[in-house]
Amino acid sequence: MVFSSLTFLYLFLPINLILYFSTKNEQVRNGILILFSLMFYAYGEPVWVTLLIFSATVDFWHGKIIERYRGCIQSKLALMSSLVINLSLLGFFKYWHFFTENFYALSGILLPTHHYALPIGISFYTFQTLSYTIDVYRGEVTAQRSYLKFLLFVSLFHQLVAGPIVRYKDIAAEIEHREISLSKFSYGVNRFALGLAKKVLIANTAGAVATQVLDFRQTSPTVVGAWFGIAMFAFQIYFDFSGYSDMAIGLGRMFGFTYKENFNYPYMAASATEFWRRWHISLGSFFRDYVYIPLGGKRRYQLRNLFIVWFLTGLWHGASWNFIVWGLFYGILIYLEKLIGEARLAKTPIWLRHGYLIVAMLIGWVFFYYESLPDAIYVIGTMFGMQGQPLIQTEMVLLIKQYWRFIILAVLACTPIFKVVYFKVKGVLKAQLGDWLDALLVGGTLLLATAFLVGSSYNPFLYFRF
Amino acid sequence: MKAFRYVNVWVFIGIICLLAVANAIAPAPAELLETENRMATPKPVLTAAHVFDGTYFGTYDDYFADHFILRDEWLRINRIVSALNGSSGGSAPQVVTFEGANVAAKWTPDVGQAVVDDSYADGSTTQKATLQMTDESSTNEDEARLAEGEAQQFDNWGKLLIYGDSVMEINTANPEANAHYAAAINAYWERFHDTSNVYSLLIPTQIEFLEDDAYREMSASQRETIDDMRTKLDDGVQFVDVYDVLAAHTSEYIYFRTDHHWTQLGAKYAFEVLAEAVGGEVPAWLNTLVPVDVPGYLGSLYTATSLEALAAHPDTVTYYKGLPDHEMEDEAGNRIEDGNVYVLRWLETPQKYGVFLGGDRAYTQIETNAGTGRRFLVLKDSYANALTPFLTGIADEIIVIDPRLYTDDVDHLIKAHQITDIIFVNYALVNRWDGYAGLYEGLLAPEIH
């Protein structure tokens, strides 16, 4: 199930909210959340919900063992075991094909393979449970005694499927006891509506245009077209992903959970290093805390560590070489930035640095979008006029004329300007009037999003296609 | 007295609860979605198998959306807002991609990329649809269909140009498809040239004659597409070139504005060329036909784009009365409807183009008193539907086969009905994708060596 769907908004969520708030008993509330979270997940993965439960159960026991035998060899073994099991699950379902393909290419030996589909969210929940066992091992958090509470942590539908990657220690207290308040709920509602607007109103539109322009069977490539198409994809992926995180954070707040921010206007960054402090923050910090720093960080073998981290970051996004290239692309840029040094970078004019990041980011997205590396290189070549493509064609002019208002909206939405204006206005208004403003925005978003969601199910049967 | 705060919360809860309750208790809407010309997705059957293979939940989403309360109103709001979003305002031209399909084949998103949520983890953000033709889908599903039978489907997307008050499909060149198409027709010539003539018509569409160069050039030249195909035809196949006659009459109403078809006036001009090729002359009775106008037609391209601007200027379907006596029958010899090639009840539905032959049917047989000794086999797409009525004057019998629906082979037909002329009729855009030729080839009985 996804948040941006009619079944979630008008079937799942109302029932969930009503049941949850119909009782003051925390145990019952937790039970309801677990039940609904499992149903939410099972809706999309009726079979592999068992895997989720398995993963949670395994790491619950691992956590207890690590804590019980702290300081002894069993603790270390349990940590190893957790790592092995979680990474094996991920490896088996997500990376096995990739591995066998490459192994075959290198050795000519065809390893046996499976045809299981990738269970939704496995990349998120395996990382989540891994962070738990590692944190327990490091003593940063005490192991959860209650199986149900741990299952709640793993299965919470807010962040299960699309992040943010929530670390156990960040919500450990709230798992035990949550404060519900109308003002928190209000914040949650506003945040959820914001995410819904970003996803349904902006991301989906940008995505439709991107798909049209970047498919070179449909649209003959031009220089402007390539930039335009990738820019649309950049909008799509940002608003889609950050919109999802907004909805997750908003939902969490409604139920009394506070999740950390996952995006911070990444397209405002002025360097690749800064970009990755603003984009998918929970993933970046996961790799920093659990891979980069343990390997030695910048103190020992920095280049090697950077290579490993960015290789893995790319690989996490997809079992395909283009994602690895995308990750390493950023790794190289970050390393170069470190070489140049912050002091010298700060001396270059901000617009130059920002421009550099925008170009780099768009090039990066080309690798992300096209699974075939030759295709990606072809498109990048087109972007820089190296493929002999025309600068622009009628169709692109038409598209720009059609979408210029949307483009301006999307660009502005990448900046904090709407947020600044919103808070200024709210600061001026009396509290209650401010609430009415929120109500207008929330209500308007819900209704518009509903229209778009119904609209996306519009599927006319054209009697005569030919 | 505490201030009443956070009305936004109540608005949110109010809307989601209100619509949830409304959906739950509202009486079931009509199962036929008129605006979309299809049946609403029926409530999926709750069985363990359906749950575990994911079809129950997947179908449930569709079911919920199709039965959503006030669905048509939401669609209207969506159209209006989308028009603001992606339009250049006013009447400037636009390009729209239509991921169109005859919803005859079932499709499911590619397994493993089902939900966009995990797309950032597994990388791909585009949903690819794989098409599955399941024969049982037509019998097990209780979806009634306006079309008889299931049309075969292949991956297609089409771009549309919205120009003024007209929508037109955009052509893309596909030399492989052209070659395949010609090869299919050649196969017929090879097999049947002892007994029958073979004709090919490839009909250009409206966008080819658009006067605005900049926009017409967005569409690959259909003159070139047609010529490319034509050069690959065997010398024995007679290519009937209707391009020039249509070009000469573009100022007349020969194409619909909101539909991808030509009007019967356009078909009439093409028929003149075909009649000369087949019989050497244009029949005199053609001028005695009386046009009957039926206004208020919003065609396929309106349905695909549902642009309010098009709705303001609908089309008129004109059919030509006074055809020679004829009887339209099915394979068993039973009369279809009242036997007339113009199936008038279609004019009362949104699908007015269906008046020509009563839609696409696997097998249609038209008997006449023409006395010319000619017996036609027409292999076609729906452009032929407007053309076929005129054939009643120059052939004793016309058999019309839709290759997407007909499951038998044509060899026995050609023999049994002593077919003198095999006529292929398609619009030039059929070869944007290589699929139709395969359908024609599939109608040939396997070779016996």
Side-chain angles (χ1 to χ4, degrees), chain B residues 366-404:
Chain B
I366 305 169
E367 305 280 351
T368 76
N369 301 323
T372 60
R374 304 298 277 270
R375 313 174 81 78
F376 292 167
L377 173 66
V378 179
L379 298 167
K380 60 142 192 122
D381 65 26
S382 53
Y383 259 61
N385 294 22
L387 177 66
T388 305
F390 299 119
L391 301 180
T392 52
I394 59 172
D396 294 342
E397 188 181 53
I398 306 153
I399 303 205
V400 186
I401 298 288
D402 191 312
R404 293 163 293 179

mmCIF file of all heavy atoms in Angstrom, chain B residues 366-404:
data_model
loop_
_atom_site.group_PDB
_atom_site.id
_atom_site.type_symbol
_atom_site.label_atom_id
_atom_site.label_comp_id
_atom_site.label_asym_id
_atom_site.label_seq_id
_atom_site.Cartn_x
_atom_site.Cartn_y
_atom_site.Cartn_z
ATOM 1 N N ILE B 366 -20.858 -9.735 -46.036
ATOM 2 C CA ILE B 366 -21.873 -8.861 -46.630
ATOM 3 C C ILE B 366 -22.229 -9.432 -48.002
ATOM 4 O O ILE B 366 -21.367 -9.577 -48.873
ATOM 5 C CB ILE B 366 -21.352 -7.422 -46.772
ATOM 6 C CG1 ILE B 366 -20.861 -6.911 -45.410
ATOM 7 C CG2 ILE B 366 -22.458 -6.514 -47.310
ATOM 8 C CD1 ILE B 366 -20.104 -5.613 -45.487
ATOM 9 N N GLU B 367 -23.506 -9.764 -48.165
ATOM 10 C CA GLU B 367 -23.985 -10.278 -49.450
ATOM 11 C C GLU B 367 -24.710 -9.178 -50.198
ATOM 12 O O GLU B 367 -25.472 -8.441 -49.598
ATOM 13 C CB GLU B 367 -24.969 -11.436 -49.215
ATOM 14 C CG GLU B 367 -24.428 -12.558 -48.365
ATOM 15 C CD GLU B 367 -23.537 -13.488 -49.150
ATOM 16 O OE1 GLU B 367 -23.474 -13.351 -50.383
ATOM 17 O OE2 GLU B 367 -22.894 -14.362 -48.536
ATOM 18 N N THR B 368 -24.445 -9.078 -51.516
ATOM 19 C CA THR B 368 -25.102 -8.014 -52.290
ATOM 20 C C THR B 368 -25.681 -8.583 -53.584
ATOM 21 O O THR B 368 -25.485 -9.749 -53.903
ATOM 22 C CB THR B 368 -24.084 -6.914 -52.685
ATOM 23 O OG1 THR B 368 -23.284 -7.419 -53.765
ATOM 24 C CG2 THR B 368 -23.192 -6.540 -51.536
ATOM 25 N N ASN B 369 -26.346 -7.700 -54.307
ATOM 26 C CA ASN B 369 -26.854 -8.085 -55.634
ATOM 27 C C ASN B 369 -26.079 -7.377 -56.720
ATOM 28 O O ASN B 369 -26.605 -7.095 -57.792
ATOM 29 C CB ASN B 369 -28.337 -7.693 -55.745
ATOM 30 C CG ASN B 369 -29.153 -8.369 -54.679
ATOM 31 O OD1 ASN B 369 -28.906 -9.510 -54.327
ATOM 32 N ND2 ASN B 369 -30.134 -7.645 -54.136
ATOM 33 N N ALA B 370 -24.826 -7.053 -56.454
ATOM 34 C CA ALA B 370 -24.083 -6.224 -57.401
ATOM 35 C C ALA B 370 -23.905 -6.900 -58.750
ATOM 36 O O ALA B 370 -23.872 -6.241 -59.784
ATOM 37 C CB ALA B 370 -22.719 -5.879 -56.802
ATOM 38 N N GLY B 371 -23.764 -8.225 -58.749
ATOM 39 C CA GLY B 371 -23.649 -8.935 -60.026
ATOM 40 C C GLY B 371 -22.351 -8.669 -60.760
ATOM 41 O O GLY B 371 -22.275 -8.812 -61.990
ATOM 42 N N THR B 372 -21.290 -8.294 -60.037
ATOM 43 C CA THR B 372 -20.036 -8.019 -60.730
ATOM 44 C C THR B 372 -19.138 -9.243 -60.813
ATOM 45 O O THR B 372 -18.130 -9.242 -61.490
ATOM 46 C CB THR B 372 -19.239 -6.925 -59.987
ATOM 47 O OG1 THR B 372 -18.964 -7.406 -58.660
ATOM 48 C CG2 THR B 372 -20.016 -5.634 -59.916
ATOM 49 N N GLY B 373 -19.528 -10.280 -60.062
ATOM 50 C CA GLY B 373 -18.709 -11.476 -60.073
ATOM 51 C C GLY B 373 -17.482 -11.375 -59.185
ATOM 52 O O GLY B 373 -16.666 -12.294 -59.113
ATOM 53 N N ARG B 374 -17.318 -10.245 -58.471
ATOM 54 C CA ARG B 374 -16.151 -10.087 -57.624
ATOM 55 C C ARG B 374 -16.513 -10.444 -56.194
ATOM 56 O O ARG B 374 -17.614 -10.166 -55.730
ATOM 57 C CB ARG B 374 -15.648 -8.629 -57.656
ATOM 58 C CG ARG B 374 -15.338 -8.106 -59.041
ATOM 59 C CD ARG B 374 -14.230 -8.872 -59.723
ATOM 60 N NE ARG B 374 -12.910 -8.424 -59.337
ATOM 61 C CZ ARG B 374 -12.221 -7.463 -59.953
ATOM 62 N NH1 ARG B 374 -12.750 -6.819 -60.974
ATOM 63 N NH2 ARG B 374 -11.017 -7.133 -59.544
ATOM 64 N N ARG B 375 -15.562 -11.091 -55.520
ATOM 65 C CA ARG B 375 -15.795 -11.450 -54.118
ATOM 66 C C ARG B 375 -14.570 -11.002 -53.326
ATOM 67 O O ARG B 375 -13.455 -11.447 -53.593
ATOM 68 C CB ARG B 375 -16.004 -12.951 -54.013
ATOM 69 C CG ARG B 375 -16.996 -13.460 -55.083
ATOM 70 C CD ARG B 375 -17.090 -14.964 -55.056
ATOM 71 N NE ARG B 375 -17.970 -15.403 -54.006
ATOM 72 C CZ ARG B 375 -19.289 -15.373 -54.078
ATOM 73 N NH1 ARG B 375 -19.890 -14.927 -55.176
ATOM 74 N NH2 ARG B 375 -20.004 -15.794 -53.075
ATOM 75 N N PHE B 376 -14.792 -10.118 -52.395
ATOM 76 C CA PHE B 376 -13.683 -9.485 -51.679
ATOM 77 C C PHE B 376 -13.420 -10.121 -50.326
ATOM 78 O O PHE B 376 -14.340 -10.532 -49.637
ATOM 79 C CB PHE B 376 -13.997 -8.004 -51.402
ATOM 80 C CG PHE B 376 -14.038 -7.130 -52.617
ATOM 81 C CD1 PHE B 376 -14.581 -5.854 -52.513
ATOM 82 C CD2 PHE B 376 -13.554 -7.543 -53.837
ATOM 83 C CE1 PHE B 376 -14.633 -5.015 -53.618
ATOM 84 C CE2 PHE B 376 -13.599 -6.715 -54.943
ATOM 85 C CZ PHE B 376 -14.147 -5.443 -54.835
ATOM 86 N N LEU B 377 -12.144 -10.155 -49.968
ATOM 87 C CA LEU B 377 -11.748 -10.419 -48.585
ATOM 88 C C LEU B 377 -11.025 -9.171 -48.108
ATOM 89 O O LEU B 377 -10.025 -8.764 -48.709
ATOM 90 C CB LEU B 377 -10.816 -11.635 -48.504
ATOM 91 C CG LEU B 377 -10.215 -11.899 -47.114
ATOM 92 C CD1 LEU B 377 -11.293 -12.298 -46.110
ATOM 93 C CD2 LEU B 377 -9.153 -12.996 -47.191
ATOM 94 N N VAL B 378 -11.560 -8.542 -47.085
ATOM 95 C CA VAL B 378 -10.962 -7.304 -46.579
ATOM 96 C C VAL B 378 -10.269 -7.595 -45.246
ATOM 97 O O VAL B 378 -10.900 -8.061 -44.302
ATOM 98 C CB VAL B 378 -12.035 -6.208 -46.379
ATOM 99 C CG1 VAL B 378 -11.397 -4.938 -45.833
ATOM 100 C CG2 VAL B 378 -12.753 -5.913 -47.692
ATOM 101 N N LEU B 379 -8.965 -7.315 -45.195
ATOM 102 C CA LEU B 379 -8.183 -7.487 -43.966
ATOM 103 C C LEU B 379 -7.778 -6.098 -43.507
ATOM 104 O O LEU B 379 -7.231 -5.319 -44.295
ATOM 105 C CB LEU B 379 -6.951 -8.351 -44.251
ATOM 106 C CG LEU B 379 -7.308 -9.748 -44.725
ATOM 107 C CD1 LEU B 379 -6.095 -10.467 -45.296
ATOM 108 C CD2 LEU B 379 -7.868 -10.560 -43.562
ATOM 109 N N LYS B 380 -8.044 -5.795 -42.222
ATOM 110 C CA LYS B 380 -8.109 -4.360 -41.958
ATOM 111 C C LYS B 380 -7.878 -3.929 -40.520
ATOM 112 O O LYS B 380 -7.792 -4.746 -39.622
ATOM 113 C CB LYS B 380 -9.521 -3.947 -42.319
ATOM 114 C CG LYS B 380 -10.485 -4.748 -41.442
ATOM 115 C CD LYS B 380 -11.651 -3.984 -41.004
ATOM 116 C CE LYS B 380 -12.444 -4.662 -39.940
ATOM 117 N NZ LYS B 380 -12.570 -3.861 -38.723
ATOM 118 N N ASP B 381 -7.822 -2.624 -40.382
ATOM 119 C CA ASP B 381 -8.055 -1.987 -39.091
ATOM 120 C C ASP B 381 -9.309 -1.134 -39.246
ATOM 121 O O ASP B 381 -9.958 -1.171 -40.290
ATOM 122 C CB ASP B 381 -6.841 -1.173 -38.616
ATOM 123 C CG ASP B 381 -6.536 0.012 -39.523
ATOM 124 O OD1 ASP B 381 -7.438 0.529 -40.201
ATOM 125 O OD2 ASP B 381 -5.357 0.413 -39.542
ATOM 126 N N SER B 382 -9.623 -0.362 -38.249
ATOM 127 C CA SER B 382 -10.946 0.277 -38.258
ATOM 128 C C SER B 382 -11.116 1.366 -39.311
ATOM 129 O O SER B 382 -12.230 1.838 -39.514
ATOM 130 C CB SER B 382 -11.260 0.833 -36.874
ATOM 131 O OG SER B 382 -10.213 1.663 -36.454
ATOM 132 N N TYR B 383 -10.040 1.771 -39.987
ATOM 133 C CA TYR B 383 -10.228 2.733 -41.073
ATOM 134 C C TYR B 383 -11.100 2.125 -42.172
ATOM 135 O O TYR B 383 -11.806 2.833 -42.883
ATOM 136 C CB TYR B 383 -8.868 3.179 -41.654
ATOM 137 C CG TYR B 383 -8.424 4.524 -41.141
ATOM 138 C CD1 TYR B 383 -8.209 4.732 -39.778
ATOM 139 C CD2 TYR B 383 -8.247 5.597 -42.002
ATOM 140 C CE1 TYR B 383 -7.817 5.970 -39.304
ATOM 141 C CE2 TYR B 383 -7.840 6.847 -41.541
ATOM 142 C CZ TYR B 383 -7.631 7.029 -40.184
ATOM 143 O OH TYR B 383 -7.246 8.242 -39.718
ATOM 144 N N ALA B 384 -11.002 0.824 -42.309
ATOM 145 C CA ALA B 384 -11.772 0.157 -43.365
ATOM 146 C C ALA B 384 -13.260 0.192 -43.089
ATOM 147 O O ALA B 384 -14.065 0.070 -44.021
ATOM 148 C CB ALA B 384 -11.312 -1.286 -43.493
ATOM 149 N N ASN B 385 -13.634 0.365 -41.834
ATOM 150 C CA ASN B 385 -15.061 0.316 -41.507
ATOM 151 C C ASN B 385 -15.859 1.369 -42.262
ATOM 152 O O ASN B 385 -16.993 1.132 -42.668
ATOM 153 C CB ASN B 385 -15.278 0.504 -39.997
ATOM 154 C CG ASN B 385 -14.711 -0.651 -39.211
ATOM 155 O OD1 ASN B 385 -13.837 -1.369 -39.675
ATOM 156 N ND2 ASN B 385 -15.222 -0.844 -38.008
ATOM 157 N N ALA B 386 -15.253 2.557 -42.434
ATOM 158 C CA ALA B 386 -15.979 3.613 -43.142
ATOM 159 C C ALA B 386 -15.948 3.391 -44.650
ATOM 160 O O ALA B 386 -16.790 3.924 -45.380
ATOM 161 C CB ALA B 386 -15.369 4.970 -42.799
ATOM 162 N N LEU B 387 -14.986 2.629 -45.088
ATOM 163 C CA LEU B 387 -14.801 2.401 -46.529
ATOM 164 C C LEU B 387 -15.663 1.242 -47.022
ATOM 165 O O LEU B 387 -16.221 1.287 -48.125
ATOM 166 C CB LEU B 387 -13.318 2.094 -46.788
ATOM 167 C CG LEU B 387 -12.894 1.762 -48.217
ATOM 168 C CD1 LEU B 387 -13.073 2.965 -49.129
ATOM 169 C CD2 LEU B 387 -11.428 1.329 -48.243
ATOM 170 N N THR B 388 -15.789 0.219 -46.219
ATOM 171 C CA THR B 388 -16.456 -1.025 -46.629
ATOM 172 C C THR B 388 -17.888 -0.840 -47.151
ATOM 173 O O THR B 388 -18.269 -1.504 -48.115
ATOM 174 C CB THR B 388 -16.423 -2.049 -45.484
ATOM 175 O OG1 THR B 388 -15.070 -2.225 -45.074
ATOM 176 C CG2 THR B 388 -16.980 -3.381 -45.930
ATOM 177 N N PRO B 389 -18.693 0.029 -46.546
ATOM 178 C CA PRO B 389 -20.056 0.187 -47.076
ATOM 179 C C PRO B 389 -20.093 0.452 -48.582
ATOM 180 O O PRO B 389 -20.974 -0.044 -49.281
ATOM 181 C CB PRO B 389 -20.606 1.367 -46.282
ATOM 182 C CG PRO B 389 -19.904 1.296 -44.969
ATOM 183 C CD PRO B 389 -18.523 0.806 -45.291
ATOM 184 N N PHE B 390 -19.111 1.199 -49.082
ATOM 185 C CA PHE B 390 -19.142 1.504 -50.518
ATOM 186 C C PHE B 390 -18.854 0.266 -51.351
ATOM 187 O O PHE B 390 -19.235 0.196 -52.529
ATOM 188 C CB PHE B 390 -18.110 2.599 -50.845
ATOM 189 C CG PHE B 390 -18.365 3.900 -50.133
ATOM 190 C CD1 PHE B 390 -17.431 4.414 -49.260
ATOM 191 C CD2 PHE B 390 -19.548 4.593 -50.331
ATOM 192 C CE1 PHE B 390 -17.664 5.613 -48.595
ATOM 193 C CE2 PHE B 390 -19.789 5.795 -49.669
ATOM 194 C CZ PHE B 390 -18.845 6.305 -48.799
ATOM 195 N N LEU B 391 -18.167 -0.698 -50.774
ATOM 196 C CA LEU B 391 -17.812 -1.892 -51.531
ATOM 197 C C LEU B 391 -19.048 -2.689 -51.938
ATOM 198 O O LEU B 391 -18.972 -3.548 -52.827
ATOM 199 C CB LEU B 391 -16.865 -2.777 -50.708
ATOM 200 C CG LEU B 391 -15.539 -2.129 -50.277
ATOM 201 C CD1 LEU B 391 -14.698 -3.112 -49.472
ATOM 202 C CD2 LEU B 391 -14.757 -1.647 -51.482
ATOM 203 N N THR B 392 -20.185 -2.418 -51.291
ATOM 204 C CA THR B 392 -21.403 -3.171 -51.617
ATOM 205 C C THR B 392 -21.837 -2.957 -53.055
ATOM 206 O O THR B 392 -22.636 -3.714 -53.596
ATOM 207 C CB THR B 392 -22.568 -2.759 -50.694
ATOM 208 O OG1 THR B 392 -22.698 -1.323 -50.735
ATOM 209 C CG2 THR B 392 -22.323 -3.194 -49.276
ATOM 210 N N GLY B 393 -21.313 -1.930 -53.705
ATOM 211 C CA GLY B 393 -21.722 -1.682 -55.071
ATOM 212 C C GLY B 393 -20.843 -2.358 -56.103
ATOM 213 O O GLY B 393 -21.190 -2.433 -57.273
ATOM 214 N N ILE B 394 -19.673 -2.837 -55.684
ATOM 215 C CA ILE B 394 -18.757 -3.386 -56.691
ATOM 216 C C ILE B 394 -18.373 -4.839 -56.436
ATOM 217 O O ILE B 394 -17.548 -5.406 -57.144
ATOM 218 C CB ILE B 394 -17.462 -2.534 -56.799
ATOM 219 C CG1 ILE B 394 -16.718 -2.477 -55.453
ATOM 220 C CG2 ILE B 394 -17.804 -1.117 -57.279
ATOM 221 C CD1 ILE B 394 -15.358 -1.815 -55.563
ATOM 222 N N ALA B 395 -18.976 -5.447 -55.452
ATOM 223 C CA ALA B 395 -18.663 -6.856 -55.182
ATOM 224 C C ALA B 395 -19.932 -7.595 -54.805
ATOM 225 O O ALA B 395 -20.854 -7.026 -54.225
ATOM 226 C CB ALA B 395 -17.648 -6.962 -54.045
ATOM 227 N N ASP B 396 -19.982 -8.887 -55.170
ATOM 228 C CA ASP B 396 -21.146 -9.711 -54.824
ATOM 229 C C ASP B 396 -21.104 -10.116 -53.359
ATOM 230 O O ASP B 396 -22.143 -10.332 -52.736
ATOM 231 C CB ASP B 396 -21.159 -10.987 -55.683
ATOM 232 C CG ASP B 396 -21.381 -10.666 -57.149
ATOM 233 O OD1 ASP B 396 -21.855 -9.544 -57.444
ATOM 234 O OD2 ASP B 396 -21.079 -11.524 -57.993
ATOM 235 N N GLU B 397 -19.892 -10.271 -52.865
ATOM 236 C CA GLU B 397 -19.753 -10.703 -51.477
ATOM 237 C C GLU B 397 -18.512 -10.058 -50.900
ATOM 238 O O GLU B 397 -17.478 -9.975 -51.569
ATOM 239 C CB GLU B 397 -19.630 -12.229 -51.397
ATOM 240 C CG GLU B 397 -19.666 -12.748 -49.969
ATOM 241 C CD GLU B 397 -19.517 -14.258 -49.903
ATOM 242 O OE1 GLU B 397 -18.539 -14.771 -50.479
ATOM 243 O OE2 GLU B 397 -20.365 -14.902 -49.286
ATOM 244 N N ILE B 398 -18.616 -9.607 -49.691
ATOM 245 C CA ILE B 398 -17.465 -9.005 -49.013
ATOM 246 C C ILE B 398 -17.306 -9.687 -47.670
ATOM 247 O O ILE B 398 -18.234 -9.699 -46.856
ATOM 248 C CB ILE B 398 -17.684 -7.502 -48.782
ATOM 249 C CG1 ILE B 398 -18.029 -6.790 -50.088
ATOM 250 C CG2 ILE B 398 -16.432 -6.878 -48.152
ATOM 251 C CD1 ILE B 398 -18.849 -5.551 -49.873
ATOM 252 N N ILE B 399 -16.126 -10.243 -47.461
ATOM 253 C CA ILE B 399 -15.858 -10.828 -46.142
ATOM 254 C C ILE B 399 -14.848 -9.923 -45.453
ATOM 255 O O ILE B 399 -13.779 -9.630 -46.002
ATOM 256 C CB ILE B 399 -15.288 -12.236 -46.280
ATOM 257 C CG1 ILE B 399 -16.270 -13.064 -47.090
ATOM 258 C CG2 ILE B 399 -15.028 -12.843 -44.911
ATOM 259 C CD1 ILE B 399 -16.222 -14.508 -46.855
ATOM 260 N N VAL B 400 -15.192 -9.470 -44.295
ATOM 261 C CA VAL B 400 -14.334 -8.553 -43.545
ATOM 262 C C VAL B 400 -13.781 -9.297 -42.325
ATOM 263 O O VAL B 400 -14.542 -9.785 -41.500
ATOM 264 C CB VAL B 400 -15.119 -7.316 -43.080
ATOM 265 C CG1 VAL B 400 -14.176 -6.314 -42.424
ATOM 266 C CG2 VAL B 400 -15.855 -6.672 -44.240
ATOM 267 N N ILE B 401 -12.459 -9.385 -42.259
ATOM 268 C CA ILE B 401 -11.828 -10.092 -41.148
ATOM 269 C C ILE B 401 -10.997 -9.100 -40.332
ATOM 270 O O ILE B 401 -10.183 -8.371 -40.892
ATOM 271 C CB ILE B 401 -10.894 -11.209 -41.681
ATOM 272 C CG1 ILE B 401 -11.690 -12.233 -42.472
ATOM 273 C CG2 ILE B 401 -10.114 -11.861 -40.553
ATOM 274 C CD1 ILE B 401 -12.565 -13.121 -41.626
ATOM 275 N N ASP B 402 -11.209 -9.122 -39.026
ATOM 276 C CA ASP B 402 -10.340 -8.322 -38.155
ATOM 277 C C ASP B 402 -9.248 -9.255 -37.615
ATOM 278 O O ASP B 402 -9.547 -10.191 -36.873
ATOM 279 C CB ASP B 402 -11.140 -7.717 -37.004
ATOM 280 C CG ASP B 402 -10.327 -6.664 -36.249
ATOM 281 O OD1 ASP B 402 -9.155 -6.948 -35.911
ATOM 282 O OD2 ASP B 402 -10.859 -5.578 -36.011
ATOM 283 N N PRO B 403 -8.006 -9.032 -37.996
ATOM 284 C CA PRO B 403 -6.959 -9.982 -37.641
ATOM 285 C C PRO B 403 -6.686 -10.063 -36.149
ATOM 286 O O PRO B 403 -6.072 -11.013 -35.679
ATOM 287 C CB PRO B 403 -5.719 -9.450 -38.374
ATOM 288 C CG PRO B 403 -5.988 -8.006 -38.565
ATOM 289 C CD PRO B 403 -7.463 -7.886 -38.755
ATOM 290 N N ARG B 404 -7.167 -9.097 -35.387
ATOM 291 C CA ARG B 404 -6.939 -9.135 -33.941
ATOM 292 C C ARG B 404 -7.907 -10.095 -33.273
ATOM 293 O O ARG B 404 -7.684 -10.546 -32.158
ATOM 294 C CB ARG B 404 -7.140 -7.752 -33.335
ATOM 295 C CG ARG B 404 -6.100 -6.753 -33.785
ATOM 296 C CD ARG B 404 -6.541 -5.325 -33.507
ATOM 297 N NE ARG B 404 -7.685 -4.949 -34.312
ATOM 298 C CZ ARG B 404 -8.265 -3.768 -34.242
ATOM 299 N NH1 ARG B 404 -7.842 -2.879 -33.389
ATOM 300 N NH2 ARG B 404 -9.298 -3.469 -35.011
#
